[in-house]
Amino acid sequence: MKPPRALVTGGAGFLGSHLCDALLGEGYSVVAVDSLLTGRRSNLDHLRNESRFELRELDINQPFDCGQVDYVFHFACPASPVDYTLHGIATLKVGSVGTFHALEVAHKYGAKYFVSSTSECYGDPLEHPQKETYWGNVNPIGPRSVYDEAKRFTEAVTMAYHRYHKVDTRIVRIFNTYGPRMQLNDGRVIPNFMKQALRGEDLTVYGDGSQTRSFCFVSDEIEGFLRLAKSTEHMPVNIGNPVEFTILECARRVLALTGSNSKIKYEALPQDDPKQRCPDITRARTLLGWEPKIDLETGLRLSLDYFRQAALI
Ligand code: UDP
């Protein structure tokens, strides 16, 4: 019998590539598409001889068709503040035009559809922790709006295809996730701190470091995706780790783990940087029986070899 076939947009990215691995593990054949704007072929090198896998370099902002598929996973989008600031217009395009194209593929083939959304939909949240029912506090014209509004629009188009075209959709709101294959230079806090600690450079804490984030190790995050993909839930579901840290505490954890003598230096806080972020994962717990298993210390330890190698380059 032919295996089910999945399309993963953004398949060469950090999460996209881990998702490709997981789907192959679930018995899918996988076609990954990626423009390689922020994704990297090297994230998929290990699948070079996998007969059930192929990577096609293409830009989903143009209409595309890779043949019949059973499931569309739409993950294409610059995702770190540094990347989406650099590629602001491309981010808005892939969240809008690219999302229409991905949904058209699902509609055409009667495939299920799963889209990566984000905790950035909540903006600088006034509700804490954030439940899926919270509509957010987003500056629509600020520097982060290229990402935040792109993803909010992505959710709107997805719900519209669900309501008007009966596409069988899932929306995951992803909170800060880390692990191997993150680009060392994508500017996010964990790769930055790991790189700086491993190279003996000062750790750059923005603002006074009192802003909070909660960090989910990639294997936990991917397990959450698979469970949501198999569920029948159409409303957004938060997938993230609910244990909250200040950024200063995160810097101290990285220093302790790496045994680095690096110092902490304080730099300006970027505009509209959310002051706090932490998912309420009641929905994921209840609907999917999911919760993360890997705490920050363990996850950082599991990532150390990767970051050590990457930091040498
Ligand atoms: N941050 C920091 N130093 C860095 C990179 C980031 O203090 O070198 C802070 C950033 O200001 C934010 C938090 O760490 O408050 C998380 O930033 P990241 O870019 O990882 O993602 P975000 O959650 O803001 O999308």
Side-chain angles (χ1 to χ4, degrees):
M1 209 178 78
K2 253 175 75 173
R5 187 163 184 255
L7 167 72
V8 180
T9 76
F14 164 50
L15 290 178
S17 65
H18 282 285
L19 179 63
C20 289
D21 290 340
L23 291 171
L24 290 165
E26 293 279 308
Y28 278 88
S29 72
V30 176
V31 52
V33 301
D34 204 298
S35 68
L36 302 179
L37 180 67
T38 57
R40 292 178 298 173
R41 273 182 196 280
S42 58
N43 286 338
L44 297 166
D45 271 353
H46 59 288
L47 298 177
R48 204 180 291 133
N49 298 321
E50 170 57 65
S51 60
R52 285 182 295 126
F53 179 77
E54 63 174 307
L55 169 64
R56 296 191 194 178
E57 185 179 340
L58 61 83
D59 180 358
I60 65 162
N61 292 332
Q62 305 300 324
F64 68 99
D65 188 343
C66 298
Q68 188 276 330
V69 287
D70 303 286
Y71 220 132
V72 174
F73 290 86
H74 179 33
F75 275 67
C77 192
S80 80
V82 164
D83 283 342
Y84 63 66
T85 303
L86 192 62
H87 304 293
I89 290 172
T91 302
L92 283 160
K93 274 195 183 151
V94 78
S96 51
V97 180
T99 298
F100 274 109
H101 292 155
L103 276 158
E104 279 301 318
V105 171
H107 186 35
K108 174 174 179 182
Y109 291 110
K112 292 179 181 174
Y113 176 88
F114 182 111
V115 68
S116 62
S117 185
T118 169
S119 55
E120 285 284 328
C121 287
Y122 304 122
D124 191 2
L126 304 176
E127 177 179 307
H128 192 74
Q130 292 81 54
K131 288 195 188 74
E132 291 88 345
T133 46
Y134 178 49
W135 291 353
N137 178 39
V138 171
N139 176 354
I141 54 166
R144 295 175 91 99
S145 66
V146 292
Y147 185 64
D148 299 9
E149 298 294 14
K151 287 295 191 181
R152 287 164 69 97
F153 186 78
T154 294
E155 290 197 7
V157 190
T158 299
M159 289 308 293
Y161 269 67
H162 175 64
R163 292 188 178 116
Y164 295 99
H165 289 320
K166 311 287 176 237
V167 175
D168 192 0
T169 56
R170 317 277 181 280
I171 298 173
V172 63
R173 290 197 182 138
I174 303 171
F175 284 65
N176 297 62
T177 304
Y178 68 101
R181 299 187 200 157
M182 286 189 101
Q183 296 224 42
L184 209 63
N185 296 327
D186 81 359
R188 279 187 273 207
V189 66
I190 288 190
N192 259 15
F193 285 174
M194 288 292 242
K195 173 181 71 181
Q196 291 159 344
L198 292 166
R199 289 183 179 166
E201 299 161 2
D202 291 348
L203 269 60
T204 51
V205 168
Y206 302 156
D208 63 5
S210 63
Q211 70 273 33
T212 67
R213 295 293 187 273
S214 54
F215 299 101
C216 191
F217 188 64
V218 63
S219 61
D220 279 335
E221 191 71 29
I222 298 286
E223 173 63 23
F225 297 169
L226 290 184
R227 288 191 188 208
L228 178 57
K230 289 173 194 167
S231 80
T232 54
E233 182 59 40
H234 300 301
M235 298 308 281
V237 179
N238 291 337
I239 297 287
N241 193 311
V243 181
E244 192 177 355
F245 293 89
T246 66
I247 292 305
L248 196 55
E249 176 62 19
C250 174
R252 293 197 177 116
R253 299 268 173 145
V254 169
L255 289 176
L257 176 82
T258 53
S260 167
N261 293 322
S262 293
K263 304 272 175 292
I264 288 173
K265 80 171 174 198
Y266 294 90
E267 294 192 351
L269 190 68
Q271 189 191 330
D272 295 340
D273 197 283
K275 283 181 269 313
Q276 52 183 3
R277 181 184 294 153
C278 181
D280 181 317
I281 61 164
T282 308
R283 199 177 269 183
R285 277 198 180 107
T286 316
L287 293 176
L288 314 176
W290 176 88
E291 63 183 356
K293 297 190 178 71
I294 297 180
D295 63 19
L296 183 59
E297 200 180 326
T298 310
L300 289 176
R301 190 169 300 123
L302 290 169
S303 312
L304 191 57
D305 278 352
Y306 166 77
F307 282 119
R308 198 170 264 144
Q309 266 193 336
L312 289 176
I313 297 166

